[in-house]
Amino acid sequence: MSKLLVVVGSTRPGRAADQVVPWVVEHAAAHEGFEVEVADLRDWSLPIFAEHFGTIGDLGDPTYSEPLVRAWNKKVKEHDAFVFITPEYNHSVPGALKNAIDSIWLSFGFRNKPVAAVGYSNGIGGGIRAIEHLAQMMVEAEAAPLRNTTVLPFVNDVFDEHGAPKNPMTGFSLQVMLDDLAWWATALDKARAEGELIPGIFRARAAAAAQG
């Protein structure tokens, strides 16, 4: 089974994420492909990203500027796949989520691993623009963002009194996303086990140094 980390991107009081997270986690846990853990960014009060080579220490086992940053890098590194649950703020993800992604630095914790997203909003967009921006960020993190996502427009009217979606297609979209995520997690886990390229930034620097 792949180790799946569900990252809750909103830390806002009264957040609608509290309606969405139980539904996503329940279905991910029921999926035969995953061992599920939740990382609620409310519980990870990461400092605003300020890492530099002076804070790293040993490149092989970085210490970072604070123990929490080190713990966050280790947490992400030990997982095989990720689901980000995010609202949309100003056409993007919350600052806390962007900071959490930026804080995965030199550990390459997302590298060569699949990432899926569940977006929601109080309006018609359902977090689509936040998901699109998230995909760009994850490409830069060398992850593999998936095409199939789950979007929840008008989130306050999505679920019934039992926490289940009123529209069956909402559940189908989550199932498709999880199936894709499980397939990619298995495929990329096998590929990583067979050997990975050194990160491109290091290969480029080595090539430049060789040119003298």
Side-chain angles (χ1 to χ4, degrees), residues 3-199:
K3 295 185 69 174
L4 172 64
L5 189 65
V6 177
V7 180
V8 185
S10 174
T11 60
R12 193 177 187 178
R15 63 187 184 182
D18 293 329
Q19 302 175 54
V20 179
V21 172
W23 173 66
V24 173
V25 171
E26 176 186 357
H27 284 270
H31 197 285
E32 295 180 354
F34 302 117
E35 175 186 335
V36 181
E37 183 176 356
V38 177
D40 189 335
L41 293 185
R42 281 184 174 175
D43 301 325
W44 291 86
S45 298
L46 293 161
I48 299 299
F49 181 73
E51 303 301 323
H52 54 87
F53 283 103
T55 67
I56 290 302
D58 181 359
L59 283 175
D61 187 19
T63 53
Y64 299 100
S65 59
E66 294 189 19
L68 189 63
V69 178
R70 176 183 168 94
W72 176 240
N73 275 266
K74 284 182 173 290
K75 177 64 64 180
V76 169
K77 184 76 171 179
E78 70 188 18
H79 285 80
D80 306 306
F82 305 90
V83 170
F84 290 97
I85 300 177
T86 182
E88 182 175 311
Y89 298 166
N90 296 324
H91 288 211
S92 188
V93 300
L97 178 53
K98 177 63 164 63
N99 186 58
I101 293 169
D102 290 345
S103 296
I104 302 303
W105 191 57
L106 288 183
S107 68
F108 297 97
F110 293 119
R111 188 169 186 255
N112 297 331
K113 298 173 184 177
V115 173
V118 177
Y120 62 89
S121 73
N122 287 321
I124 197 170
I128 291 173
R129 292 166 297 196
I131 290 173
E132 289 178 344
H133 195 191
L134 179 63
Q136 293 177 316
M137 295 179 214
M138 298 319 298
V139 167
E140 184 64 21
E142 298 191 72
L146 303 189
R147 183 268 180 195
N148 287 314
T149 61
T150 300
V151 295
L152 305 173
F154 303 109
V155 65
N156 289 325
D157 195 42
V158 167
F159 301 102
D160 63 21
E161 64 273 19
H162 304 294
K166 298 175 184 177
N167 185 343
M169 290 305 299
T170 303
F172 297 152
S173 72
L174 181 63
Q175 187 64 45
V176 167
M177 187 195 83
L178 291 172
D179 288 344
D180 283 1
L181 190 64
W183 189 93
W184 277 103
T186 299
L188 290 175
D189 181 63
K190 181 175 183 292
R192 292 195 307 276
E194 291 175 353
E196 295 182 272
L197 291 170
I198 296 170

